[in-house]
Amino acid sequence: MAPQCYKGEVCEPVDYDYVIVGAGPAGLQMAYFLQKAGRQYVVYESQDKAAKFFEQHPRGRKLISLNKKNNLFKEETFNMRHDWNSLLSDDKEMKFTKYSDELYPDASDLHQYLNDYAHRFQLNIKYNTKVKKISKPDSTFTVCIEEADGETTSCRATCVLMATGAMSENLPEDIEGIELTDTYSQHDMDKDLYKDKMILIIGGGNSAFETANHFAGSAGIVHVSLGKKMQFAWDTHYVGDLRAVNNNIIDMYHLKSMHATLGSKVEKITKNENGKFVVKFKDLNTQWKVPGWLFFDIEYDHVISCMGWNYVNTQLFDEETINVELVKNNRYPKLSNCWETDTKNLFYIGTAMAAIDRKSASGFIHGFRYNIRTLFNLLEQRLFKQSLPHITLPTKDLDTVSKKIIERCTISDSLYQMNGFMCDVMVFDEKTSVTKYYTDLPFRHVMEKPEFKDAKHVFTIHLTYGRDKFGTSTKSVDNVHAPDFTTNRCASFMHPYIEYYSHGEYVDQTELQESLIVRYDNWSSDKFPQWSSSANENYIKYYVNDKLNWTDEKFNLVPLPEEMIKKNFVPLTKEEMSRLPHLWENAECTQSQELLPKNPEPIRERKLRPTMKEIMDSAQRKELTYHMLTQLQV
């Protein structure tokens, strides 16, 4: 079946339905779906193997992607929540968990797995083939390539999918002399070269701290220059922010073990006559009595830039026929809510998908594998007029509706990994009285599609963190107590949201309670009675029926049954209430807190350090007193 032409367009003959540029994990994942669907595609890879990037990166060879194999449960999708390295397929043997038992595995194992994946499914990859130029002279693309023997040829394609991954290292133009530094990708890993040396590492992400940890035992002093506030993954819940596995330098800094993190921004780098690096810093000091900027220089033996990657090489595109704008300091492509560039049918897949997602996992295998599956389905609809994947639920069957939502929230891997970004969509058609349940769609793209925007009754279901309701006065890591089971609103961690839309307009939303392991089935009810599967199902029925008026049936809406409260819950006494700390921030939900001591010590008046004027005045008083005493002695 050939791709369908757009209205008013002339279909040009093509060699392929799809050209994929790059055989990294994203290119392999899309190739799998295209091959399974019988589409005409080719993957062009400039290297002699798939996923060549992982032969060298990360430099420390330990991945920060989880490989948790033992999870109590047998559901494949539930276990994929904790397998961050496998690509999707129908072959249960092609799981990365077969390759390593390590929680944080070696990158060489991932490289081997990805090449085995390409071989196992006999994906149509042309290795040692460089894409030289991509143009779009008409409704289709022309892709010019250089093959292994040096011959230059070209092909025509309906759609181009850029799976190029990290294209080059980011060297910020606002740092004068940045070109003098070593980079994350190129610096020498031999620890002996750095013995008793001073090292500066520029950057505040995982690559910077991974590098710092590598040299922490051999270098005399390691400084990590952040230039901004540190973003910890445990605070932001974004897997790309600084992970605990890489933060040893922070621990050493706060225990005063020579190494340090600096909030200062690097302004300029030069080399002196001794071959040392002289680094000029600009430091914002708002904590001073007179806030201001502090400028200072430090001399280093080595400077390594670890400032991340650029994900676009615009030189691959013919600028007269293809438009790819850059965003985020020119590091990412500008993408639509379905990962399309400003050029129709030109998409970016893989790590570049993070251009529109800084909340979940689009920049990692365990996130973009679902994005790619969704994009494949969207393209099947666009180019081949296939229906989006969905099931049809029995007409006006609230019991089946609630059970389906509970099931998806309990075992879905895609909603879990792509929390806050991807959702399921349930549409009730009043004309046919049919309920359709669609899975795994980009949340912001849903109401751009006519079948959802024009519908009278649409429900979206997604898993999202509720931290925004608790204000900013305390950190996420302080929230270690049970959520409020008397309400469905105040849950900090990931939990289900159900939102209602009518004719494309948001109406309202409801939430289910937080679950310790994000399961809402009977297992949770058995192990933790306060989570009631039936209560959640009744709550869903009530909410859905309130919008659709399917039945007059009454539903139990008490999140925590009264008998459970009496059995398991004892309110604070008046004395204990008096020991609660005061929260000055006005937030919808209250942070969990520890009680103050019963007999707190009286608050002592803080003695401020004397100002320079006070010191001078004091000195003058001492001089005057000395003069008076001298006169009295006379």
Side-chain angles (χ1 to χ4, degrees), residues 234 237 464-467 470 476-477 479-480 491-495 497 514-515:
W234 60 61
H237 304 300
T464 300
Y465 286 88
R467 182 70 187 163
F470 288 81
S476 295
V477 290
N479 199 349
V480 292
S492 177
F493 289 98
M494 191 190 304
H495 61 282
Y497 284 68
E514 185 180 303
S515 163

Side-chain angles (χ1 to χ4, degrees), residues 14-19 139-143 155-160:
V14 295
D15 300 294
Y16 300 103
D17 302 328
Y18 299 91
V19 164
S139 62
T140 59
F141 293 89
T142 298
V143 182
C155 69
R156 304 273 289 174
T158 301
C159 181
V160 172

Side-chain angles (χ1 to χ4, degrees), residues 71-79 519:
N71 304 303
L72 290 179
F73 301 97
K74 301 302 181 184
E75 300 103 342
E76 183 180 351
T77 54
F78 181 88
N79 286 312
R519 285 189 76 102

Side-chain angles (χ1 to χ4, degrees), residues 303-369:
V303 179
I304 305 172
S305 176
C306 301
M307 298 289 286
W309 301 90
N310 299 316
Y311 296 97
V312 184
N313 179 5
T314 55
Q315 294 182 352
L316 289 177
F317 303 115
D318 171 38
E319 62 182 15
E320 294 185 3
T321 60
I322 291 181
N323 180 32
V324 177
E325 287 189 45
L326 302 181
V327 296
K328 298 186 177 181
N329 296 321
N330 295 327
R331 295 178 56 203
Y332 287 88
K334 177 187 174 185
L335 300 178
S336 73
N337 290 327
C338 62
W339 307 286
E340 190 172 20
T341 68
D342 287 338
T343 300
K344 184 183 291 185
N345 289 336
L346 175 62
F347 297 83
Y348 268 84
I349 61 176
T351 49
M353 285 173 150
I356 59 171
D357 171 30
R358 282 284 299 183
K359 287 187 175 181
S360 54
S362 286
F364 297 81
I365 291 175
H366 64 288
F368 65 63
R369 63 191 180 194

Side-chain angles (χ1 to χ4, degrees), residues 285-430:
N285 291 278
T286 58
Q287 79 279 11
W288 287 26
K289 184 168 184 179
V290 180
W293 297 96
L294 178 67
F295 296 88
F296 60 94
D297 297 346
I298 300 181
E299 188 180 276
Y300 295 96
D301 298 292
H302 300 276
V303 179
I304 305 172
S305 176
C306 301
M307 298 289 286
W309 301 90
N310 299 316
Y311 296 97
V312 184
N313 179 5
T314 55
Q315 294 182 352
L316 289 177
F317 303 115
D318 171 38
E319 62 182 15
E320 294 185 3
T321 60
I322 291 181
N323 180 32
V324 177
E325 287 189 45
L326 302 181
V327 296
K328 298 186 177 181
N329 296 321
N330 295 327
R331 295 178 56 203
Y332 287 88
K334 177 187 174 185
L335 300 178
S336 73
N337 290 327
C338 62
W339 307 286
E340 190 172 20
T341 68
D342 287 338
T343 300
K344 184 183 291 185
N345 289 336
L346 175 62
F347 297 83
Y348 268 84
I349 61 176
T351 49
M353 285 173 150
I356 59 171
D357 171 30
R358 282 284 299 183
K359 287 187 175 181
S360 54
S362 286
F364 297 81
I365 291 175
H366 64 288
F368 65 63
R369 63 191 180 194
Y370 304 109
N371 289 347
I372 290 170
R373 182 175 64 188
T374 294
L375 177 57
F376 164 75
N377 290 325
L378 292 172
L379 289 173
E380 285 288 287
Q381 182 189 43
R382 177 190 288 195
L383 301 179
F384 296 94
K385 307 305 180 187
Q386 300 295 306
S387 298
L388 289 176
H390 67 276
I391 61 171
T392 300
L393 302 178
T395 305
K396 298 185 178 182
D397 188 340
L398 286 170
D399 188 59
T400 301
V401 166
S402 62
K403 279 181 165 53
K404 182 62 181 177
I405 294 174
I406 291 292
E407 174 196 311
R408 287 287 292 169
C409 294
T410 296
I411 65 172
S412 168
D413 49 347
S414 51
L415 296 183
Y416 182 92
Q417 297 291 16
M418 298 307 297
N419 57 85
F421 182 84
M422 195 167 279
C423 68
D424 289 354
V425 183
M426 187 175 68
V427 182
F428 174 65
D429 188 341
E430 288 184 320

Side-chain angles (χ1 to χ4, degrees), residues 109-124:
D109 291 331
L110 179 59
H111 179 257
Q112 183 63 53
Y113 164 75
L114 293 171
N115 278 275
D116 289 351
Y117 184 96
H119 178 75
R120 167 67 181 83
F121 298 112
Q122 294 296 294
L123 302 178
N124 186 28

